[in-house]
């Protein structure tokens, strides 16, 4: 039985993905479930976080968003039984790669998969759904009538964010990074209030948002990264597609929430003072927040969200941006593309 792992160079700069033979899984005990994997979605690996958490090893398992069939359960498992169809996110410290025929996982990381949801849809939506719920519900308190700016709305994450915001009755503004993205966003139903095309570098995001909101500013911003420095100090591709942090602060309304994916965000005293005057808040969207929090409390919140994500998927509220499923033997090459952040749609391996 083969599984996909990654190996990091001694300089921590280069990542190599390799298939390795695995030993048979140990006997399923206590609260653990043995799962036959039917689909596994691919996401970027945060090697910096792994290093900070002292979780580095020679070979690290790849693939954590899994959907499959329960093969066996431990004596203390209370939520599942053999032949149940489930979906979940393997924990950061999992010793099993999701890109393998079978994995062993604690039951508190799994939820039931609705019958009408396909394997690829379940695996391909579970993580982005968790991120979006964390951003819009737990970090920014989304509610009907709020105005929301979703940066890069045509991305896999952005698409789910727009759909959740619409479902909650919010007014959505979004940015498009290409003509193709703009056309995709303009086809959304219900329609997006305004699509801002930033692909040519001429659109002013702050001005467009203030114009759309009558000068009040938006209530919630979910960014896809921001520029921190002057034009001379930023890479060309970042200059074109990302707003400057000052633009985000400018377009925020009174009492607004800025949810950022920029882990190295730096706010100068004038920035903080402007946020203070607006009574605005900044929150960081950390993909692994539930893994890093108190285990019991984190699992409880995560399970609630995962169940709701699956319900929204089964009722058609969520319509994920998925690429065509790929076979396991193509996972290595595809993962290299995902790690370089070169793909747009979510990549899912189907077994």
């Amino acid at each position: 039985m083969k599984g996909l792992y990654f190996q990091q160079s001694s300089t921590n700069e280069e990542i190599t993905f390799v298939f390795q033979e695995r030993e048979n899984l140990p006997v399923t005990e206590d609260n653990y479930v043995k799962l036959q994997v039917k689909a596994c979605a691919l996401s970027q690996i945060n090697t910096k976080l792994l290093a900070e958490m002292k979780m580095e090893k020679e070979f690290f398992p790849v693939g954590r968003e899994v959907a499959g069939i329960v093969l066996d359960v431990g004596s203390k498992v209370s939520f599942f039984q053999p032949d149940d169809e489930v979906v979940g996110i393997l924990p950061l410290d999992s010793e099993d790669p999701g890109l393998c025929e079978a994995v062993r996982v604690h039951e508190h990381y799994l939820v039931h998969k609705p019958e009408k949801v396909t394997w690829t849809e379940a695996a391909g939506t579970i993580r982005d759904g968790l991120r979006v719920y964390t951003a819009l519900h737990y970090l920014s308190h989304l509610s009907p009538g709020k105005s929301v700016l979703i940066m890069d709305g045509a991305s896999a994450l952005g698409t789910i964010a727009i759909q959740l915001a619409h479902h909650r009755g919010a007014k959505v503004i979004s940015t498009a990074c290409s003509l193709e993205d703009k056309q995709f966003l303009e086809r959304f139903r219900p329609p997006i209030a305004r699509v801002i095309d930033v692909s040519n570098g001429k659109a002013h995001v702050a001005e467009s948002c203030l114009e759309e909101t009558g000068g009040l500013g938006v209530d919630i911003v979910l960014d896809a990264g921001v520029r921190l420095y002057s034009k001379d100090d930023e890479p060309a591709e970042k200059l074109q597609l990302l707003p400057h942090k000052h633009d985000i602060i400018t377009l925020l309304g009174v009492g607004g929430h800025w949810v950022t994916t920029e882990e190295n965000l730096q706010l100068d005293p004038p920035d903080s003072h402007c946020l203070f005057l607006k009574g605005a808040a900044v929150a960081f969207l950390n993909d692994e927040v539930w893994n890093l929090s108190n285990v019991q409390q984190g699992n409880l919140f995560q399970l609630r969200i995962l169940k709701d994500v699956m319900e929204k998927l089964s009722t058609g509220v969520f319509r994920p941006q998925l690429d065509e499923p790929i076979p396991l033997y193509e996972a290595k090459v595809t993962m290299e593309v995902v790690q370089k952040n070169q793909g747009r749609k979510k990549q899912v391996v189907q077994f």
Side-chain angles (χ1 to χ4, degrees):
M1 186 166 61
K2 286 187 177 180
L4 187 66
Y5 296 79
F6 82 81
Q7 187 177 26
Q8 203 159 9
S9 67
S10 56
T11 59
N12 288 336
E13 291 179 0
E14 194 173 327
I15 288 182
T16 306
F17 294 95
V18 293
F19 279 108
Q20 283 202 320
E21 285 291 340
R22 299 185 56 223
E23 297 179 1
N24 291 330
L25 293 176
V27 176
T28 310
E29 297 177 338
D30 298 334
N31 292 94
Y32 281 84
V33 171
K34 183 179 180 182
L35 191 67
Q36 178 189 356
V37 180
K38 303 295 287 184
C40 178
L42 306 182
S43 295
Q44 266 188 310
I45 298 164
N46 190 337
T47 55
K48 183 179 178 183
L49 177 64
L50 293 175
E52 290 173 352
M53 295 292 295
K54 310 295 184 188
M55 297 177 71
E56 296 169 296
K57 34 180 135 171
E58 186 179 1
F59 293 98
F60 202 91
V62 175
R64 293 172 53 207
E65 303 123 89
V66 297
I69 300 173
V70 175
L71 296 176
D72 191 19
V73 298
S75 59
K76 296 182 181 179
V77 171
S78 54
F79 298 115
F80 306 104
Q81 57 188 13
D83 297 327
D84 279 355
E85 297 184 352
V86 299
V87 58
I89 304 174
L90 303 183
L92 260 180
D93 59 357
S94 172
E95 296 184 1
D96 297 334
L99 287 166
C100 189
E101 293 175 4
V103 297
R104 180 174 167 270
V105 57
H106 196 287
E107 66 171 333
H108 289 167
Y109 292 100
L110 300 171
V111 295
H112 286 96
K113 178 186 78 67
E115 189 176 348
K116 62 170 69 173
V117 173
T118 67
W119 298 115
T120 52
E121 286 173 340
T125 309
I126 196 73
R127 184 169 182 170
D128 284 334
L130 176 64
R131 295 179 71 199
V132 165
Y133 261 79
T134 303
L136 297 184
H137 279 296
Y138 288 93
L139 298 180
S140 56
H141 313 297
L142 177 69
S143 60
K146 292 280 184 76
S147 55
V148 184
L149 171 62
I150 308 291
M151 306 297 294
D152 194 11
S155 65
L157 178 71
T159 299
I160 298 296
I162 291 171
Q163 291 163 356
L164 181 61
H166 272 157
H167 179 69
R168 290 288 188 243
K171 176 181 180 178
V172 177
I173 304 169
S174 185
T175 61
C177 298
S178 68
L179 178 59
E180 184 181 2
D181 287 355
K182 182 173 181 284
Q183 293 170 343
F184 168 77
L185 292 171
E186 287 173 341
R187 292 194 296 269
F188 252 85
R189 293 295 177 270
I192 296 169
R194 179 175 293 205
V195 177
I196 306 167
D197 185 0
V198 298
S199 61
N200 56 16
K202 295 178 181 178
H204 296 283
V205 177
E207 288 180 16
S208 299
C209 289
L210 290 171
E211 182 181 307
E212 187 62 41
T213 57
L216 297 176
V218 300
D219 299 305
I220 298 170
V221 177
L222 174 57
D223 73 31
V226 293
R227 295 195 338 255
L228 303 177
Y229 311 110
S230 64
K231 292 186 176 183
D232 297 334
D233 299 323
E234 295 278 15
E237 65 276 8
K238 203 169 184 181
L239 272 177
Q240 187 174 356
L241 301 178
L242 296 180
H244 196 279
K245 60 182 178 180
H246 295 152
D247 295 330
I248 301 291
I249 294 171
T250 300
L251 62 84
L252 263 183
V254 173
H257 290 79
W258 173 13
V259 182
T260 182
T261 58
E262 180 56 66
E263 62 183 59
N264 296 313
L265 179 67
Q266 298 176 31
L267 296 177
D268 301 318
D271 302 329
S272 298
H273 185 64
C274 187
L275 289 168
F276 167 77
L277 292 176
K278 292 185 176 189
V282 179
F284 291 85
L285 180 57
N286 178 0
D287 289 11
E288 308 299 344
V289 65
W290 306 116
N291 272 292
L292 304 179
S293 61
N294 174 276
V295 174
Q296 187 172 3
Q297 185 185 37
N299 281 341
L300 181 62
F301 279 128
Q302 178 169 304
L303 285 176
R304 283 182 193 165
I305 297 171
L306 298 189
K307 287 176 183 176
D308 209 21
V309 169
M310 285 299 107
E311 191 225 332
K312 296 286 186 293
L313 191 56
S314 67
T315 56
V317 173
F318 288 159
R319 302 176 302 283
Q321 274 264 73
L322 304 180
D323 216 332
E324 289 295 317
I326 59 173
L328 180 60
Y329 65 82
E330 291 183 9
K332 178 178 177 292
V333 174
T334 307
M335 193 61 212
E336 290 170 354
V337 174
V338 170
Q339 189 64 23
K340 294 174 183 174
N341 201 24
Q342 294 176 339
R344 293 296 286 163
K345 295 182 178 180
K346 195 74 174 180
Q347 302 286 345
V348 182
V349 174
Q350 189 170 26
F351 290 78

